[in-house]
Amino acid sequence: VNIYNNIFIDNNTSLQVNNLFYYGTSNPDGGGEPVNTFPVHIEKNKFIIQNSSSTSGTIILLNNGHLGSVVTTKISNNIIYVPAVLNNTERYFDAIKIQNQNSKKTYIEDNTIINPGRSVVMVEDSEPNYNPRNLELSRNFIYNLSPSIDSDDSNSEDLITVVNQTDGENIINYNNFKKLSNHYVIVNTTNHPINAENNYWGTTTTSEIDNLIYDFNDDFDLGAVDYDPYLTTPSTDAPISPPVNVAKQASGENVVLT
């Protein structure tokens, strides 16, 4: 399944992928999948909320189901943009949500995500054996604009939320994080460690980076988020940060941007 070079505008759920599994075999480990392939690849799309009347939703939803998505999935080189306020109404969208099991890796690479809600969230299942796992998040530019609408979910505007998992490894490397909200960048609610090395956090002060993470240091039952070493300047491998707060005005026969 290759989904590429599309433009999605003003959809509550722009793209939902359900229950792709076992890739040519009845083996629940996905043994029929060719090596170094991406049976699900979502690439070079633009997802934009500009005039939607909806105040919440999910842009990309991998809804795996109890036996779903035992295939390697890659989400790369996409642009996701949701304004914090539109038509005088605050917005809360999940940019990328992963539900239920995936024993194979999910790669999220080289994307630009500008969103007031959660940028990447792994949602736990009612049955722990089906919790998502094996996330590799790398070389993304993730910009959390500002808090959006109120939510009962205390993690509603955290950039990246990882839930309880039974096994597997989650890796978050070489991303550039920028946020205007007071929420965390990474919330680890698992008892497994997370490799979050070589990211740029918008600061080089370790106490400030600590305050951007919720993990073992906040709750001894949780796994630690290892962020050291960290980048002291933005990663040049991630997408370029787009300009913000740009104003346009006419000046004679010219247009002036400030």
Side-chain angles (χ1 to χ4, degrees):
V1 178
N2 294 309
I3 302 169
Y4 60 93
N5 288 335
N6 298 283
I7 299 176
F8 300 84
I9 298 177
D10 290 339
N11 296 292
N12 284 12
T13 300
S14 296
L15 179 61
Q16 181 168 332
V17 180
N18 289 339
N19 296 341
L20 297 173
F21 59 96
Y22 294 172
Y23 201 93
T25 177
S26 61
N27 182 352
D29 291 326
E33 180 180 311
V35 177
N36 298 323
T37 62
F38 304 104
V40 177
H41 195 179
I42 302 167
E43 182 182 27
K44 296 181 180 178
N45 301 283
K46 296 179 178 66
F47 302 88
I48 301 168
I49 301 296
Q50 58 181 19
N51 291 310
S52 174
S53 60
S54 298
T55 58
S56 63
T58 300
I59 305 299
I60 299 176
L61 174 61
L62 302 181
N63 187 22
N64 299 328
H66 283 351
L67 295 177
S69 277
V70 190
V71 296
T72 303
T73 301
K74 187 174 184 180
I75 301 172
S76 64
N77 295 287
N78 300 282
I79 296 174
I80 300 175
Y81 174 68
V82 180
V85 177
L86 186 64
N87 299 327
N88 295 317
T89 304
E90 293 181 335
R91 292 290 185 262
Y92 164 60
F93 280 75
D94 289 332
I96 301 173
K97 180 185 288 186
I98 305 168
Q99 293 184 169
N100 309 114
Q101 182 205 27
N102 195 347
S103 59
K104 295 289 187 177
K105 275 188 174 292
T106 298
Y107 295 90
I108 301 176
E109 301 177 345
D110 305 300
N111 300 283
T112 296
I113 303 174
I114 302 174
N115 182 37
R118 298 182 295 190
S119 294
V120 179
V121 55
M122 301 174 72
V123 180
E124 64 182 327
D125 189 80
S126 58
E127 300 182 39
N129 287 337
Y130 299 114
N131 283 336
R133 69 206 74 172
N134 295 321
L135 169 68
E136 189 161 319
L137 186 76
S138 58
R139 303 185 307 277
N140 300 279
F141 172 68
I142 300 178
Y143 185 10
N144 183 246
L145 292 172
S146 64
S148 53
I149 64 174
D150 293 335
S151 172
D152 291 335
D153 184 347
S154 61
N155 296 330
S156 60
E157 286 88 34
D158 301 316
L159 272 68
I160 302 165
T161 302
V162 180
V163 302
N164 296 322
Q165 64 185 66
T166 53
D167 54 23
E169 180 181 23
N170 296 308
I171 300 172
I172 303 171
N173 294 159
Y174 296 101
N175 301 281
N176 293 332
F177 301 126
K178 183 175 182 178
K179 75 182 190 74
L180 298 179
S181 75
N182 295 320
H183 291 263
Y184 297 104
V185 170
I186 297 178
V187 174
N188 182 15
T189 67
T190 83
N191 57 10
H192 296 266
I194 292 178
N195 176 346
E197 298 176 354
N198 295 303
N199 293 294
Y200 180 67
W201 301 82
T203 179
T204 57
T205 303
T206 56
S207 60
E208 293 179 0
I209 297 176
D210 286 333
N211 289 334
L212 300 176
I213 296 169
Y214 188 86
D215 67 346
F216 173 83
N217 294 300
D218 303 279
D219 183 339
F220 291 156
D221 291 329
L222 303 178
V225 174
D226 177 16
Y227 66 80
D228 192 8
Y230 51 85
L231 299 182
T232 57
T233 59
S235 170
T236 57
D237 293 326
I240 297 173
S241 172
V244 295
N245 299 322
V246 177
K248 178 182 73 173
Q249 66 182 66
S251 177
E253 296 181 354
N254 300 315
V255 174
V256 178
L257 301 177
T258 57

